[in-house]
Amino acid sequence: MTVKGDAVFGSNRPVGLRDSKSYRRGMANTDSGSIELSRPEARTVISALSEFQSTGGGTEGERALNVREHLKEEFGFEEEETPSALFERFGEGFFEDTSSETVALSDREAETTVSALSSFENQAPDENRETLRDVRRRFENEFGVSGAR
């Protein structure tokens, strides 16, 4: 969870004003952790979450939307562009951007992210699968969670 001013990011509820009592009640059964992501990795995760959110629904779809918006906020991304489109626009420089952010997520958010990456990995062209698999495994190891494959 990241707190910026009065806004709470990375929670299981939409971003809003911080109400610590109700927030803690909502998170009481949920652990949290953090992971460091590079900008290209974050864009890949955002793409996976976007795809997952559009095909999923309910609570998990909302959670995917919340995590996606949280990552966009953390990295200052405004547009919805896939890593492939960015690579075409920026070339190798897209992958050379080594700046990173540490992002805090609940275990449920991490599970949703792993499920999204797994689904995205299964649909990805062969040359992108290894990168997706590496990012997914980092989430699994860092948070001790797994997603459907």
Side-chain angles (χ1 to χ4, degrees):
M1 173 182 69
T2 300
V3 178
K4 288 188 177 179
D6 288 331
V8 177
F9 300 94
S11 67
N12 285 332
R13 66 186 182 95
V15 173
L17 294 180
R18 185 176 185 181
D19 174 356
S20 59
K21 287 184 182 178
S22 63
Y23 176 73
R24 286 191 184 126
R25 261 195 315 273
M27 293 293 287
N29 296 324
T30 321
D31 293 329
S32 63
S34 60
I35 188 167
E36 187 171 339
L37 295 173
S38 67
R39 291 180 68 78
E41 289 171 333
R43 286 204 187 269
T44 299
V45 173
I46 289 168
S47 295
L49 289 164
S50 294
E51 183 72 24
F52 188 75
Q53 187 259 330
S54 68
T55 60
T59 305
E60 196 163 36
E62 282 183 38
R63 195 174 299 123
L65 173 65
N66 287 344
V67 174
R68 185 188 78 193
E69 294 304 310
H70 172 52
L71 289 174
K72 286 172 61 178
E73 173 76 20
E74 285 290 320
F75 285 88
F77 298 148
E78 294 180 16
E79 71 284 342
E80 294 284 333
E81 293 189 52
T82 65
S84 301
L86 290 164
F87 181 73
E88 287 176 22
R89 197 162 97 204
F90 297 112
E92 287 293 329
F94 168 69
F95 295 103
E96 293 170 2
D97 184 350
T98 58
S99 62
S100 63
E101 297 286 337
T102 300
V103 181
L105 300 171
S106 70
D107 285 348
R108 287 186 180 160
E109 290 168 329
E111 285 173 3
T112 297
T113 303
V114 167
S115 293
L117 287 166
S118 180
S119 176
F120 205 55
E121 178 184 331
N122 292 334
Q123 301 168 19
D126 290 340
E127 62 272 11
N128 296 340
R129 283 196 181 133
E130 186 175 343
T131 300
L132 287 162
R133 187 176 304 118
D134 290 346
V135 174
R136 177 182 49 79
R137 286 180 178 157
R138 284 186 44 226
F139 271 88
E140 289 173 336
N141 292 335
E142 198 67 38
F143 291 92
V145 299
S146 63
R149 286 189 193 81

